[in-house]
Amino acid sequence: MTAAQGVLLHPITMGRLLQSLFLLLLLLLDSCLHPAAAFPKGCYPSEEEGLKTFRCSNAQLTEVPRDIPNDTNKLYLDFNQIPFLPRDAFRDLPLLLELDLSHNAIARIETGAFQGLAEHLHSLDLSSNRLVSVSKDAFSNLKAKVNLSNNPWLCDCRLQELIRAVELVAESSGGIVCDSSTQEEHVGKAFLQVIADTDLCNVYKKTTDIAMLVTMFGWFAMVISYLVYYVRQNQEDARRHLEYLKSLPSKQRRSEESSTISTVV
């Protein structure tokens, strides 16, 4: 290569280098201003089996993220530290098919938390959380198959109503175990086994009815006791008054006896 050719190639090489640096700068600027910066740390979008997926697994989240793409079909929020689900937590995700909330710290679910998901959602995983008691209204109109296993459930009428209101994932039903119960003998047993033998809502109703009867009987006994006391007290007062009248002169005694008898009657 001649010196003249080197002089000609040098400006061309420098121009290409500057162009590459400029394009790289644009890419870096775009990445800072657009989608990646909007997602919570540890979350990222992907596509799995043709479905738009958003993964936030093990991202140390303490609440449901707000910046989830609204065309998401599968959402993974498992292995985080989310303590409760507020009303309308997923209202901007009308195309959601699968929702994984397993292995969190969820202890409370507000009514309306899954509002807007009834039409499309077909899988909801709430296993391995801290659920003790949840109203069936929290799952109102939800047609998804639900996994409620491995939670510290209180086995009572409320749980019985919930189980009958949702469709459980078949293989998960054995994992719904009584951590506590209104009846001590149920603790440690699978809940479906318990309600196969006992109607907890009927037991609760009977217990409530008995409590009401006992309360009514107690009030009735108090009223009767008061009436007996009142009558005896009046009789005692009348007896004393009659004895007093006997000690009076006969004419005055007859007049006051008539007054006393009228009062007692």
Side-chain angles (χ1 to χ4, degrees), residues 12-204:
I12 295 173
T13 302
M14 289 297 295
R16 288 178 178 173
L17 180 60
L18 288 172
Q19 185 179 18
S20 298
L21 289 172
F22 180 71
L23 289 172
L24 180 60
L25 182 62
L26 286 177
L27 288 172
L28 289 172
L29 184 62
D30 184 68
S31 66
C32 291
L33 296 176
H34 291 91
F39 299 147
K41 185 179 179 181
C43 301
Y44 62 91
S46 64
E47 189 165 321
E48 299 177 8
E49 301 176 350
L51 297 174
K52 293 188 176 180
T53 303
F54 195 74
R55 287 190 175 273
C56 289
S57 302
N58 201 21
Q60 299 183 353
L61 298 176
T62 56
E63 62 180 3
V64 177
R66 298 180 182 179
D67 300 313
I68 302 171
N70 57 16
D71 60 350
T72 297
N73 303 127
K74 299 170 70 175
L75 177 59
Y76 292 88
L77 298 173
D78 51 318
F79 289 96
N80 283 290
Q81 300 161 23
I82 300 171
F84 81 103
L85 301 178
R87 182 180 178 86
D88 294 325
F90 307 98
R91 65 178 179 179
D92 296 324
L93 302 172
L95 303 180
L96 199 61
L97 301 174
E98 296 181 21
L99 176 58
D100 189 347
L101 290 159
S102 63
H103 298 90
N104 272 280
I106 300 171
R108 182 165 60 94
I109 301 176
E110 291 186 357
T111 299
F114 304 112
Q115 190 168 301
L117 301 181
E119 190 172 341
H120 293 96
L121 192 71
H122 63 70
S123 177
L124 172 61
D125 193 345
L126 286 163
S127 63
S128 301
N129 277 282
R130 298 178 185 173
L131 296 171
V132 174
S133 183
V134 180
S135 170
K136 65 178 182 178
D137 296 333
F139 297 84
S140 180
N141 300 319
L142 205 63
K143 298 179 178 65
K145 290 185 177 181
V146 184
N147 187 343
L148 297 172
S149 62
N150 299 320
N151 282 280
W153 290 109
L154 166 63
C155 291
D156 60 359
C157 179
R158 201 178 195 203
L159 180 58
Q160 180 173 309
E161 290 180 338
L162 170 62
I163 296 300
R164 290 178 176 174
V166 301
E167 182 180 358
L168 296 175
V169 175
E171 59 272 19
S172 73
S173 58
I176 303 174
V177 177
C178 301
D179 187 71
S180 57
S181 176
T182 51
Q183 298 186 44
E184 190 66 27
E185 66 269 22
H186 296 155
V187 175
K189 292 184 179 180
F191 186 66
L192 292 189
Q193 177 188 345
V194 169
I195 59 176
D197 301 326
T198 308
D199 186 342
L200 293 179
C201 292
N202 192 40
V203 169
Y204 174 77

